[in-house]
Amino acid sequence: MNCILLGPPGAGKGTQAKNIVKSFNMLHFSTGDMLRKAKKFDEIINKLLLTGQLVPDKVVIDIIKRRLERDDIKKGFLLDGFPRNLRQAEQLDLMLKSKNVRINKVFLIDIGFEEVINRIAGRRVCECGASYNIIAVPPKKNGICDCCGANLVQRNDDREESVVRDRFAIYKRQTEPLIEYYNKTGLLVEIDGLKDEKAVFKQISMYIL
Ligand SMILES: [Zn+2]
């Protein structure tokens, strides 16, 4: 089964992606991770990422395409972080068609702006990669990482509500046509993201074969 995971920043996409790929033995296609890997041997990607420029869609699609050629994806994959807009979705579909691969479900973890603000304001991260939320997923010891014992920090870009507001507005603008696109094809499954992590995962699991 091949799936796409959509949702605003703060919806818990990362956590759910991990749950899904682990439980269903799927391959996690995180475009962020793939680009970070690719930059090690690709000078052009490295330069784009270093200067904070957007990596062209074609480059991302080529990376996914090459990844599809390996034979460890028989149980399916989960795309996380791509596509972000309608154009990318259309290009992705063209590429998948050429490979005779299809998307079976598109999960949208739906939460509203108010909830995004609450969650992002409470988000704490550790340099080891662990992330917490002082309301929803607090660490055992206040301000300390459960995994490595380091001090947790609040990300710079999470501090300002205006930044969050902008990110949410961009997400909305880009994602709405995308949601409509996948809704038309009957692939879209809306998941109530206001529930806790386990309940959200349970909702998603019901649709994965
Ligand atoms: Zn840590």
Side-chain angles (χ1 to χ4, degrees):
M1 187 136 162
N2 304 320
C3 306
I4 293 173
L5 193 58
L6 304 175
K13 274 204 311 282
T15 312
Q16 293 302 337
K18 271 185 209 145
N19 289 340
I20 295 166
V21 294
K22 206 172 139 202
S23 298
F24 299 99
N25 215 357
M26 289 156 85
L27 206 76
H28 189 188
F29 277 3
S30 155
T31 42
D33 288 350
M34 285 192 281
L35 285 172
R36 274 189 289 276
K37 252 182 224 163
K39 78 172 184 185
K40 284 180 194 149
F41 50 84
D42 190 315
E43 225 3 83
I44 297 166
I45 294 177
N46 188 33
K47 211 170 168 188
L48 288 169
L49 290 177
L50 275 178
T51 53
Q53 292 178 75
L54 281 181
V55 177
D57 296 345
K58 195 186 171 304
V59 174
V60 179
I61 287 184
D62 275 349
I63 293 176
I64 298 172
K65 188 176 172 185
R66 261 178 277 148
R67 194 62 190 81
L68 285 173
E69 280 156 12
R70 284 159 62 173
D71 56 6
D72 56 356
I73 60 149
K74 294 211 172 72
K75 289 258 167 77
F77 59 81
L78 178 75
L79 253 179
D80 164 20
F82 194 92
R84 283 187 195 276
N85 58 48
L86 185 57
R87 209 181 112 82
Q88 291 178 344
E90 288 167 347
Q91 289 182 5
L92 177 70
D93 272 355
L94 278 177
M95 183 276 282
L96 290 176
K97 212 175 235 173
S98 77
K99 289 263 155 205
N100 227 348
V101 172
R102 44 178 301 196
I103 298 293
N104 305 100
K105 286 276 181 273
V106 177
F107 295 105
L108 168 67
I109 305 181
D110 212 8
I111 65 172
F113 178 65
E114 284 308 312
E115 182 68 10
V116 171
I117 284 286
N118 286 341
R119 291 185 184 188
I120 286 179
R123 188 191 282 173
R124 299 291 183 274
V125 294
C126 177
E127 54 187 15
C128 78
S131 71
Y132 304 87
N133 186 289
I134 51 174
I135 306 156
V137 209
K140 287 191 188 99
K141 215 172 143 196
N142 200 6
I144 304 291
C145 178
D146 291 347
C147 306
C148 72
N151 287 321
L152 298 177
V153 294
Q154 196 167 5
R155 260 192 219 140
N156 275 343
D157 63 337
D158 292 344
R159 265 178 215 152
E160 296 291 326
E161 185 173 320
S162 66
V163 173
V164 178
R165 193 175 293 277
D166 288 349
R167 275 169 62 188
F168 193 79
I170 293 169
Y171 162 80
K172 272 276 177 200
R173 199 168 60 231
Q174 293 189 333
T175 314
E176 259 157 21
L178 195 58
I179 291 169
E180 207 183 295
Y181 177 73
Y182 287 127
N183 201 10
K184 260 189 227 151
T185 52
L187 297 179
L188 189 76
V189 180
E190 286 185 63
I191 301 294
D192 178 3
L194 289 177
K195 302 251 167 64
D196 66 27
E197 190 191 317
K198 267 192 192 145
V200 169
F201 180 59
K202 208 173 154 193
Q203 290 177 71
I204 295 173
S205 304
M206 293 192 314
Y207 292 93
I208 300 181
L209 305 171

